[in-house]
Amino acid sequence: MISLDEFKNMELGVGTIKEVQDHPDADKLYVIKVSLGDEERQLVAGIKPYYEKDTLVGKQAVVVLNIEPAVIRGVESCGMLLAAKDSGGITILTTEREVEDGAKIS
């Protein structure tokens, strides 16, 4: 269990996926560029078995913004896409309607 204060420290925002490339050293990973309004970030996400690249471009997604950058198989990831996983696979979390890039989630 985490405290409410710990949860409040998590910064979530909405970004539009601008570019998706295959990870150069992993079969199940994509390298994704996401527009967050005033900045663009590179993320590494293990969603390749569930999404074709062209279906991701233009899609909005919920991103953890204040997670420490991590190097995943040699590629830096500066955020994390949130997704739900069930028996049907993985689904990226998004918004009910299109919102401005960088919109904060509260």
Side-chain angles (χ1 to χ4, degrees):
M1 301 290 262
I2 64 170
S3 70
L4 182 57
D5 285 336
E6 288 173 311
F7 179 75
K8 287 179 180 178
N9 287 331
M10 193 172 358
E11 195 175 316
L12 304 175
V14 178
T16 299
I17 297 172
K18 297 297 184 181
E19 182 181 318
V20 181
Q21 299 295 323
D22 294 328
H23 189 290
D25 194 30
D27 294 337
K28 296 180 182 180
L29 300 176
Y30 281 136
V31 179
I32 300 171
K33 302 275 189 192
V34 178
S35 171
L36 296 164
D38 60 349
E39 68 174 310
E40 193 171 276
R41 291 206 192 170
Q42 175 174 282
L43 314 175
V44 176
I47 59 174
K48 191 172 181 179
Y50 307 99
Y51 287 92
E52 296 293 325
K53 287 186 272 193
D54 61 341
T55 64
L56 290 169
V57 175
K59 185 183 242 0
Q60 288 196 307
V62 176
V63 178
V64 180
L65 301 171
N66 63 338
I67 194 167
E68 287 183 358
V71 177
I72 302 172
R73 295 240 177 142
V75 176
E76 186 175 43
S77 183
C78 297
M80 178 185 288
L81 286 181
L82 292 183
K85 182 177 183 180
D86 67 7
S87 61
I90 288 180
T91 300
I92 293 172
L93 297 184
T94 188
T95 58
E96 181 178 10
R97 65 172 175 80
E98 189 170 319
V99 297
E100 294 176 5
D101 286 346
K104 301 295 184 221
I105 295 174
S106 58

